[in-house]
Each structure stands twice: as C-alpha cells, then as structure tokens.
Amino acid sequence: MAQFEEVSQKSKLHPKPEGLTLQYGTAGFRTHAKHLDHIMFRMGLLATLRSKKTKSTIGVMVTASHNPEEDNGVKLIDPMGEMVTAMWEGYATQLANAEQDSLLKELKDIIEKEDINMSEPASVYVGKDTRPSSASLSQAVLDGVSSLGGKTHDYGLVTTPQLHYMVCCCNTHGCYGSPTVEGYYQKLSQAFLQLTQNALNRTDDQKRLLVDGANGIGALKMREMEPFLRSEMQVVLSNDGSSGKLNHMCGADYVKVQQKAPQGMNMGVGERCCSFDGDADRIVYYYTDSKGCFHLLDGDKIATLISTYLKELLLLFRHMFQFMLKLVTVCCTKTGVKHLHHAAQEYDIGVYFEANGHGTVLFSKAAQKQIQELVKDPNSNDERKRAVKLLESTINLINQTVGDAISDMLVIEAVLAIRGMSAQDWDAIYTDLPNRQLKVTVSDRRVIDTTDAERRAVSPEGLQDTIDSLVKKYKSARSFVRPSGTEDVVRVYAEADTQESADSLAHEVSLAVYRLAGGIGDEPKPLH
C-alpha cells in the first residue's frame, strides 16, 4: 500500500536508536529529549490510527510537565479530552520499541487487532510546551500523522489542559466550547466574572494573586488571559520565562517537595501565592504567616475547599437531587490522574486532586441536566436562584477534561471571594500532620509492587514489614512507597506528629528502599 511506503520512507528520517526501550507510563513517554525523535513520529502514527478507529479527533501533546528543561515527552489525548485508554498505552509501548525494520509489521498488527478501516479520515490536534526541543519534536509528530494521510491542526504553544479542552470541544461539535485558545479564555473568564459578581466589596488586596509560572507555558498563557479577566483579578507574575530556566527552583513540584517558596517570588505576610508546573496542569497555593512560617495549600486542601463550597450550594436542593443521598463519599485509588479520573466518573459530582495539585471536578450528564432544569425553574426563591446560578457558572469555569492550573486557580479565587475567605481561613479548614516526601533512585523501579491503592508494598520481600516496624516508632505516623510512573525512582511519603519525626521517618524508610530495592548512587542522607 502506498501509505505504508510513505511511513517506511519517512520513518528513516526519525530512526530509533538501537536497543533503546521506553514505556508509556502514567504521563506518557518522558526522557531526555535527544532520545525522543522516533517516539514522536510513531505517536503521530498511533494517533492517526486511534482517530480512524474512534472516528474522532485525537490529541498529541509534546511536553515533559514538571521534568527538567532538557527532558521532553508526549501524551495522547482521547476523544472526550481524557487520557488515552489503557489498551492503547500498550500499543504505544509496542510501537515505540519496535526496531526500525519491524515498524511496519507492528503497525499492521495494531490495525488488524483493532479492525481499523484505513480509508477512514483521520484528524489529530498537536500542541507543545516551551522547551527548546519541543519545536522539532512536534514536527516529528506532524510527520507521523501526514505519512498515514491524516489531517493535523497544529496549535503550537499551548498548555496541556488547553489541548485536552480543544479535543473535547471538537468532538462535542462545540457543545463544550469553541476549539480555539481565545474560546478557552472567553469561556473561563466569563464564568469567573459571573461568579465574582457574588463577592461584595472586594478590595484590590483581595483581588491580588502572586503567580509563579515555573518559567513555562502557563506563564505565557496567563499573560494572554489577563485582559479577559479585566479588573477582577490582579496577577503578579514571577518566573515568567523571560530569564529563568523551566522548572528550576520554581514551579508546583519544587514548592510541594521542598515546602518553600520558589526563587524569584517576593511574598508579603499572608499574601496568596500559587505555582503552576511546567505544562500548567498542576497548581499549589501557599503563604507565609506573621512569624515567617511557610504554609502549603496542596491538592488535598484544594479538594477540601471546592468540596465544601459545592456541598453548601447543593444542600439548598437536597429535596430535589437524587444524588444528594450520598453527599460525600471518599474513594482511594492508585496514584495517577487517570485512575482518579475514572473513579470520579462513577459519581454525579466527583472532586479529585492528587496532593501534587493535579485535579479537577467532574459533573455527570444527569447532574448537569438537573442543574440546567433548576436554572429555568420559575418557582425557585432568591436564595436558590443565586445558588443554582453559582453552580452553573462553576461548571463552566471548570475544565472537566483534565487537571488545569489556570482553570483551578480561577475556581479557587472565585470560591475564596464568594465565601470571603483569606488563605489563612482556607488553611484552617483542617490541619495537616507534618509530612515529608522524598525520592530514592533505583536501578529498576519495577522491583516495587504495591497493593491497597498503593498504600502497601508487596515486593521486594521484607520492605513492607520494615516500613511497618519503622512507623511504630513514631506517634500518629504513616508511610507509603510507590514507584514513579515516569522514571527509575521510588517516591517515599511519611507523616507524623512533628516535622522532625516526619523527616526522620521519611529518611529511615528511604534507607530501607535503597537497601532492599536496589538503590543506586549514595545512600540517602538524614535531612537534619
């Protein structure tokens, strides 16, 4: 077939380094950018097949999120803006690791297994972040799509959540919104402005927010969005990419792990501050108190703020909503947004956030339909009319396709404004136990296997017993370990009654991981 001939010819321009093996993980492929050219070409091929199979537009995002600037990566986006289905993750790994001379065989194998009609048209949306390597790597994706006769729309520089949004808009034929960057800004800003009308007498100080853009795409897009927000939000942007390096000593991951402010941000006492990650799909908030103590408001705090806000609104309609019977249910899943997203889809309203600040809110079709009916209800009293308009605008402000730092930031700002809360008030909803997150480099992360939503280690033998005995030494303590989804490291989490104890427990568990799970490099050192 002529189309396979073109694949064969073009693939020679994107050759696979012999012997290189990569796996499509929690966040797609990620590694040093120099190893990714062939991966990008092949993900262009796979996205084209996925488009033909689903008869929908598919997205391909070139980014390595919170990784260092020299890395890059790629994520595939399914028709409703969600992450690509697990079966096709396997195909991605299969295609990526095929040696050059067996690429066509692997491609035909997927076509046969999925019974793909190759005469179907294909449409692929492509976006990229601000990394120096992203331009050439996104071109490799475009080459892959065109070699199988697919049509592309190259969005250029966009945040990861913006591309998820575009894909969903396209496949819902505009019902979700307009598939343009300006359409995204208009939808979110309009909803934000409608919500903040309900916050009376806001001062300029209350509208002011310090934003750390991680020297990434989020900073660029925040600048573009500012005019749409008019005077209702005053953004003070630092780490905007004009001088610093992407994710270096800044960004959501740095702030979460180091539990301190990013470089380049001048924080006043009690001022609300937030940090995006490199591709703007995560956000964390923070502030310093009058004693100079740093307070982190992470994904858990964000989930609590949004959940309590929605609960207050919904309680006004408990006699109407069938789903009010189960107002709050807590569900635990394996780490990874795709697991949380699927779990949240089981509920009428699902609020999910990882502690790292990656998350969103999902509203079922039934819940959205009931809310729309209430908007039109002529018998509602003023209090209910106000509450249902708040719900409607909140739904429009939330990017339901994936965690979105810009959308989440606007939701948080609107909720704080409506409830008249400061960062300190928000922080006081509950008190976190002191905790510490560390990582241990290992030769192969797959030696760690977990169960019970990754709260217990099954292998290597003896590791969980060691963790259990270490935890018993401290008060109010817990500790979990899990392999990273993107690199050969094991993540260690520990909490206890004091910061000193949490730090000590985290170090001892890190040592156990290093010794029992094939740690490489120097042994973990005590934090103090």
Side-chain angles (χ1 to χ4, degrees), residues 14 22 52 64 74 228 274 304 326 352 355 361 372 424 476:
H14 306 280
L22 295 170
K52 289 174 184 287
V74 61
F228 290 86
C274 71
T304 306
K326 286 186 179 176
Y352 75 81
V361 185
Q372 285 305 317
Q424 294 91 326
S476 305

Side-chain angles (χ1 to χ4, degrees), residues 264-286:
M265 182 175 275
N266 298 313
M267 301 165 62
V269 173
E271 274 197 298
R272 285 190 323 285
C273 310
C274 71
S275 287
F276 299 165
D277 70 335
D279 67 338
D281 64 0
R282 295 183 185 185
I283 186 170
V284 294
Y285 269 68
Y286 42 95

Side-chain angles (χ1 to χ4, degrees), residues 144-257:
V145 178
S146 68
S147 71
L148 272 179
K151 296 278 193 297
T152 55
H153 183 125
D154 183 3
Y155 279 92
L157 292 167
V158 285
T159 70
T160 294
Q162 284 176 334
L163 193 67
H164 282 257
Y165 173 90
M166 305 305 173
V167 170
C168 184
C169 288
C170 174
N171 291 318
T172 55
H173 309 291
C175 290
Y176 192 65
S178 168
T180 63
V181 174
E182 185 167 331
Y184 168 93
Y185 295 146
Q186 285 175 337
K187 181 182 177 183
L188 267 61
S189 60
Q190 189 178 352
F192 176 75
L193 294 170
Q194 285 170 345
L195 282 170
T196 50
Q197 283 173 7
N198 291 271
L200 302 175
N201 306 318
R202 283 174 79 214
T203 64
D204 284 348
D205 280 351
Q206 289 166 328
K207 295 176 183 180
R208 178 179 158 94
L209 177 68
L210 277 60
V211 178
D212 158 29
N215 291 314
I217 185 68
L220 199 66
K221 296 301 164 181
M222 200 59 237
R223 281 264 186 260
E224 290 178 6
M225 190 171 194
E226 277 183 275
F228 290 86
L229 300 170
R230 303 206 285 274
S231 60
E232 285 307 306
M233 194 164 166
Q234 295 172 12
V235 173
V236 181
L237 192 59
S238 60
N239 299 316
D240 63 357
S242 57
S243 57
K245 197 174 175 185
L246 177 70
N247 293 327
H248 180 63
M249 302 190 78
C250 61
D253 198 54
Y254 174 84
V255 172
K256 168 68 179 163
V257 173

Side-chain angles (χ1 to χ4, degrees), residues 285 297 301-302 305 412 421-429:
Y285 269 68
L297 297 154
K301 291 277 187 181
I302 295 169
L305 178 72
I412 291 162
M421 295 172 72
S422 65
Q424 294 91 326
D425 297 331
W426 171 17
D427 198 16
I429 291 176

